[in-house]
């Protein structure tokens, strides 16, 4: 009631009890107010916890946590990490984490049985039945982001409504048989993702990429892969000549000149 009067919203208790999104909006306003107050008045050496009923607010980072575990903000450290994951390959390698953007990639990750570390949602995303159903499939912590911060993390022209922080699957040792794909110096993220997507459809069991290839786990490559990275065994920064020399099967290479037609070539067996 005090917060409602503070912002002059003129709503009653029944409005907040029957319409959870109104409570979330109110708490977001409180969170922004606390952030401003912290920047101007509070010292980071203080322990500053404000209790709003059954919701706790840490004034150091202005976090609002709902009873279901959804938090309505991110700590400064978390915001920095997210920006680095979205932009920096070195950070993805260091942390072993990356970002999925959109419900399609999230669904592919969940369908493959991969764990989700954290979900990041917008208010519009929460109201989307498809995204809400996907969110129910994971017990991962959830954060509600304002549109401006979400836009900073997403490269899409229109917001998807959901981002997911996920762990990068550990690479298995290179195979010595089976159906394998080697990529050498393919630098465009869109091309790498499209090739991996096609490889999954063709039944490739392992993809190996040279150090000169685009980052398989960048948001752009993940979008182009359309879920391929969730199911395909991938080895990055591979020594392709060494792999080829140890492979117990035939080696086929794509060539511009002197090549045979793909559809007239025997591609059976270990390749």
């Amino acid at each position: 009631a005090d917060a409602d009067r503070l912002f002059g919203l003129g709503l009653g208790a029944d409005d907040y009890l029957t319409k959870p999104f109104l409570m979330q909006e109110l708490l977001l306003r409180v969170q922004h107010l606390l952030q401003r107050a912290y920047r101007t008045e509070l010292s980071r050496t203080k322990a500053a916890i404000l209790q709003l009923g059954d919701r706790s607010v840490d004034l150091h980072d202005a976090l609002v946590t709902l009873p279901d575990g959804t938090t309505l903000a991110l700590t400064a450290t978390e915001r920095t990490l997210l920006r680095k994951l979205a932009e920096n390959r070195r950070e993805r390698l260091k942390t072993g984490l990356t970002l999925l953007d959109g419900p399609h990639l999230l669904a592919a990750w969940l369908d493959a049985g991969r764990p989700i570390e954290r979900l990041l949602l917008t208010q519009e995303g929460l109201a989307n039945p498809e995204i809400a159903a996907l969110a129910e499939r994971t017990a991962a912590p959830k954060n509600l982001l304002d549109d401006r911060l979400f836009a900073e993390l997403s490269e899409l022209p229109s917001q998807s409504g959901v981002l997911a922080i996920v762990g990068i699957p550990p690479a298995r040792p290179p195979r010595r048989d089976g159906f394998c794909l080697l990529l050498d110096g393919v630098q465009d993220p869109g091309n790498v993702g499209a090739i991996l997507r096609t490889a999954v459809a063709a039944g490739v069991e392992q993809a190996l990429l040279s150090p000169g290839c685009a980052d398989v786990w960048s948001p752009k490559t993940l979008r182009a892969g359309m879920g391929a990275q969730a199911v395909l065994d991938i080895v990055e920064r591979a020594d392709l000549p060494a792999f080829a020399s140890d492979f117990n099967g035939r080696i086929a290479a794509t060539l511009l000149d002197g090549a045979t037609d793909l559809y007239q070539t025997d591609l059976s067996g270990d390749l």
Side-chain angles (χ1 to χ4, degrees), residues 98-175:
T98 189
L99 285 176
L100 307 179
D101 193 346
H104 179 85
L105 281 180
L106 176 58
W109 208 260
L110 291 170
D111 290 343
R114 302 285 188 186
I116 305 296
E117 300 294 329
R118 184 178 293 271
L119 285 183
L120 310 166
L121 305 126
T122 64
Q123 191 73 52
E124 185 176 349
L126 276 175
N128 183 311
E130 179 187 10
I131 293 176
L134 291 171
E136 289 293 325
R137 293 175 57 185
T138 175
K142 302 171 182 64
N143 290 93
L144 185 66
L145 302 189
D146 61 46
D147 290 344
R148 184 175 61 181
L149 176 56
F150 194 95
E152 291 179 14
L153 302 174
S154 175
E155 296 179 350
L156 296 178
S158 58
Q159 292 186 5
S160 65
V162 61
L163 291 164
I165 303 175
V166 299
I168 295 174
R172 298 176 183 175
R175 298 175 63 99

Side-chain angles (χ1 to χ4, degrees), residues 18-262:
T18 58
K19 300 176 181 176
F21 71 90
L22 290 176
M23 177 63 78
Q24 291 176 348
E25 173 64 25
L26 180 64
L27 290 175
L28 277 173
R29 293 186 182 214
V30 172
Q31 175 240 315
H32 290 309
L33 181 65
L34 291 172
Q35 285 178 326
R36 290 196 299 272
Y38 170 73
R39 284 194 295 266
T40 57
E41 298 178 14
L42 295 176
S43 165
R44 277 197 175 271
T45 59
K46 289 183 180 179
I49 303 295
L50 175 66
Q51 198 70 27
L52 294 175
D54 53 5
R55 301 162 179 81
S56 61
V57 179
D58 181 347
L59 299 187
H60 286 299
D61 292 299
L63 281 179
V64 178
T65 304
L66 300 178
D68 65 359
T70 302
T71 54
L72 301 186
L74 292 169
T75 67
T77 301
E78 288 172 327
R79 288 193 293 271
T80 300
L81 172 62
L82 285 173
R83 291 189 179 99
K84 288 183 177 180
L85 290 179
E87 302 169 357
N88 192 302
R89 182 178 194 177
R90 182 177 297 178
E91 189 69 21
R92 291 189 289 269
L93 289 174
K94 183 177 76 173
T95 61
L97 299 171
T98 189
L99 285 176
L100 307 179
D101 193 346
H104 179 85
L105 281 180
L106 176 58
W109 208 260
L110 291 170
D111 290 343
R114 302 285 188 186
I116 305 296
E117 300 294 329
R118 184 178 293 271
L119 285 183
L120 310 166
L121 305 126
T122 64
Q123 191 73 52
E124 185 176 349
L126 276 175
N128 183 311
E130 179 187 10
I131 293 176
L134 291 171
E136 289 293 325
R137 293 175 57 185
T138 175
K142 302 171 182 64
N143 290 93
L144 185 66
L145 302 189
D146 61 46
D147 290 344
R148 184 175 61 181
L149 176 56
F150 194 95
E152 291 179 14
L153 302 174
S154 175
E155 296 179 350
L156 296 178
S158 58
Q159 292 186 5
S160 65
V162 61
L163 291 164
I165 303 175
V166 299
I168 295 174
R172 298 176 183 175
R175 298 175 63 99
R176 294 292 177 262
D177 55 14
F179 188 14
C180 299
L181 172 69
L182 311 184
L183 298 183
D184 185 17
V186 184
Q187 298 179 353
D188 182 77
N191 288 343
V192 170
I195 292 171
L196 294 180
R197 185 173 76 239
T198 305
V200 170
V204 167
E205 297 167 281
Q206 187 175 65
L208 301 95
L209 294 86
S210 73
C213 287
D215 181 11
V216 170
W217 304 106
S218 73
K220 188 171 184 178
T221 311
L222 283 163
R223 287 197 305 274
M226 296 179 66
Q229 289 92 325
V231 296
L232 183 60
D233 186 16
I234 297 173
V235 180
E236 289 192 285
R237 297 172 298 283
D239 185 339
L240 300 186
F243 172 87
S245 65
D246 293 338
F247 188 70
N248 298 322
R250 294 176 299 154
I251 304 295
T254 55
L255 302 172
L256 292 176
D257 300 313
T260 61
D261 186 276
L262 175 66

